[in-house]
Amino acid sequence: MSESSARQASVKAIDSPAPRPLKRLQALAPYKQGKSQLPGRDRVIKLSSNEGCFGPSPKAMEAYRALAPELHRYPDGTQTQLREAIAGVHGIDADRIVCGNGSEELIGLLIRCFLGEGDELLLSENNFMMCSIYGKSQAAKIVLAPERDFQVDVDALLKCITPRTRVLSVANPNNPTGTYLPSAEIERLVAEVPPHVLIILDGAYVEYVTREDYDDGLRWAEKLPNVVVTRSFSKMYGLAGLRIGWAYGPADVIEVVNRLRTPFNANAAALAAAAAAVTDYEHVEHTRRHVAAWQERIASALGDRGVTVVPSVTNFYLVDFEPRADKTAKEAAAVMEANGIIPRPGSADRFLRITVGTDEENEALLEVLGGYLDA
């Protein structure tokens, strides 16, 4: 037998029918996105994914179309145009910005950079599911701090910190509750978390908030060595289909993320559209006013029918059916889907998360859900 044949026979003798993934990945439940289609319906009202109800701004669409002749070129790996546009809008340092395939990718990169086997990832009870997935993939322990009245509890988070805590991620505003931590609580959080813990402030819904006591976190990412802010173009800016987001933080943190990210992690069309979108103030303000007005109207209409609508500062609202013993979220979702409206069911059969849509979509929602609650 030749040396090559012997080597092949030895390889075949290995008792493994196929390549095996890491054990810690086999138990991971994949992220489940909101429904976008219903059987037998060509047109649906999709209120399950918190997408921007008016779509991209005209400026973003123009920039997207203008790039068509250049699609054979690689995108700018330095992301300079978008970083400088973001820096100009927010008055921050462009060199401390990194862009990515949605803020989701950047959160994942931060976790991969700063969390290892046996470390602890601290999250609030209601959190972005991908954080847990990324943490578990690093063989880290996931620690959940309880919430109070649908609100992130800073005291509970602080009590959960141990010497093994390495990353703390908090969405502000939070999802799926729509609530937010006021400025004083954010200040207390960043002041009392030990400096060895990286704090990720996920601001995917920042642009919808109009409260005067809200803190977007940028000032803490500017001055503290362990705070990073992430932002998304998927919600207010209506670019979910292009997958683009950004992060801002200490120079050494951003530098290590740049080492790990792929050279062209943000595509050219997304970079161009986002650079135009971030400066379209008229589109943002129009959307913000629309969402705020409908939040008030919907909360009043559903509240009058005996369910609880958790006060939200985002473009979605959480409906709690617990006060109505005769109604359930599961049944309500079925009625809505039968009428072509897709909500997002919660993990327990008492909640529905619903996106604020257009005037027409919201009117249809109130007619169908209101009718169910009135029946």
Side-chain angles (χ1 to χ4, degrees):
M1 181 182 291
S2 68
E3 181 179 348
S4 174
S5 299
R7 186 182 305 112
Q8 291 176 5
S10 175
V11 170
K12 289 181 179 179
I14 296 176
D15 186 21
S16 176
R20 294 179 178 175
L22 294 171
K23 287 185 177 180
R24 62 177 178 263
L25 301 183
Q26 292 176 316
L28 279 181
Y31 179 84
K32 186 177 180 180
Q33 67 186 69
K35 286 183 181 180
S36 59
Q37 296 179 335
L38 293 172
R41 285 187 173 271
D42 295 330
R43 182 181 180 276
V44 298
I45 296 176
K46 185 187 177 190
L47 303 179
S48 59
S49 298
N50 303 342
E51 295 152 333
C53 60
F54 294 131
S57 81
K59 292 182 179 180
M61 289 189 283
E62 182 181 354
Y64 176 83
R65 287 190 290 265
L67 194 72
E70 299 298 318
L71 292 181
H72 62 300
R73 304 295 184 191
Y74 281 106
D76 175 16
T78 69
Q79 309 167 340
T80 301
Q81 179 189 13
L82 179 54
R83 289 190 299 105
E84 290 182 348
I86 293 168
V89 168
H90 295 283
I92 55 180
D93 184 356
D95 290 336
R96 291 168 57 179
I97 298 171
V98 59
C99 304
N101 186 36
S103 58
E104 169 191 322
E105 183 205 20
L106 297 170
I107 291 171
L109 287 171
L110 288 163
I111 289 174
R112 288 173 62 194
C113 287
F114 291 92
L115 196 70
E117 184 173 354
D119 292 338
E120 292 178 354
L121 169 61
L122 178 54
L123 305 170
S124 191
E125 177 184 344
N126 288 298
N127 60 79
F128 180 37
M129 183 181 173
M130 286 306 302
C131 291
S132 294
I133 292 176
Y134 288 132
K136 290 174 182 176
S137 73
Q138 295 294 102
K141 178 183 178 182
I142 310 301
V143 179
L144 298 180
E147 296 183 2
R148 182 173 51 194
D149 298 328
F150 301 103
Q151 181 111 10
V152 172
D153 188 335
V154 170
D155 288 322
L157 287 169
L158 295 174
K159 287 178 182 177
C160 289
I161 293 176
T162 75
R164 297 174 66 179
T165 306
R166 288 293 178 269
V167 178
L168 186 166
S169 183
V170 173
N172 192 39
N174 202 11
N175 181 9
T177 63
T179 59
Y180 74 105
L181 280 175
S183 178
E185 288 297 278
I186 290 292
E187 184 170 0
R188 191 160 68 89
L189 179 70
V190 300
E192 297 187 34
V193 170
H196 73 273
V197 177
L198 180 72
I199 302 172
I200 302 174
L201 298 177
D202 176 4
Y205 299 92
V206 163
E207 292 83 8
Y208 292 100
V209 186
T210 58
R211 304 296 177 86
E212 292 184 359
D213 63 343
Y214 177 73
D215 187 341
D216 64 9
L218 287 174
R219 60 175 174 147
W220 303 115
E222 180 78 30
K223 64 191 294 188
L224 296 179
N226 65 327
V227 177
V228 178
V229 169
T230 61
R231 296 285 186 86
S232 174
F233 282 96
S234 297
K235 310 303 181 183
M236 172 64 81
Y237 296 104
L239 298 179
L242 289 180
R243 308 303 305 127
I244 185 72
W246 57 280
Y248 181 71
D252 55 348
V253 172
I254 299 303
E255 192 270 338
V256 75
V257 170
N258 275 318
R259 289 189 212 174
L260 188 60
R261 72 176 176 90
T262 58
F264 307 112
N265 65 322
N267 69 76
L271 291 169
V278 76
T279 60
D280 194 342
Y281 307 108
E282 183 178 348
H283 181 78
V284 169
E285 186 56 33
H286 170 63
T287 305
R288 185 186 291 126
R289 288 196 304 267
H290 169 87
V291 168
W294 271 107
Q295 282 282 20
E296 184 176 347
R297 180 177 169 186
I298 291 169
S300 176
L302 297 183
D304 289 344
R305 290 170 165 86
V307 295
T308 298
V309 179
V310 178
S312 174
V313 297
T314 68
N315 71 327
F316 63 87
Y317 47 97
L318 189 68
V319 184
D320 182 3
F321 287 78
E322 188 175 56
R324 286 289 301 267
D326 60 327
K327 303 293 181 181
T328 69
K330 182 178 181 180
E331 192 174 65
V335 170
M336 292 171 68
E337 290 185 6
N339 285 273
I341 303 172
I342 307 176
R344 182 69 181 262
S347 56
D349 186 21
R350 59 179 278 196
F351 298 112
L352 285 182
R353 192 196 70 188
I354 305 174
T355 309
V356 176
T358 62
D359 290 341
E360 179 185 2
E361 291 169 340
N362 295 329
E363 294 284 6
L365 174 281
L366 287 179
E367 180 179 353
V368 172
L369 184 53
Y372 166 71
L373 292 171
D374 289 339

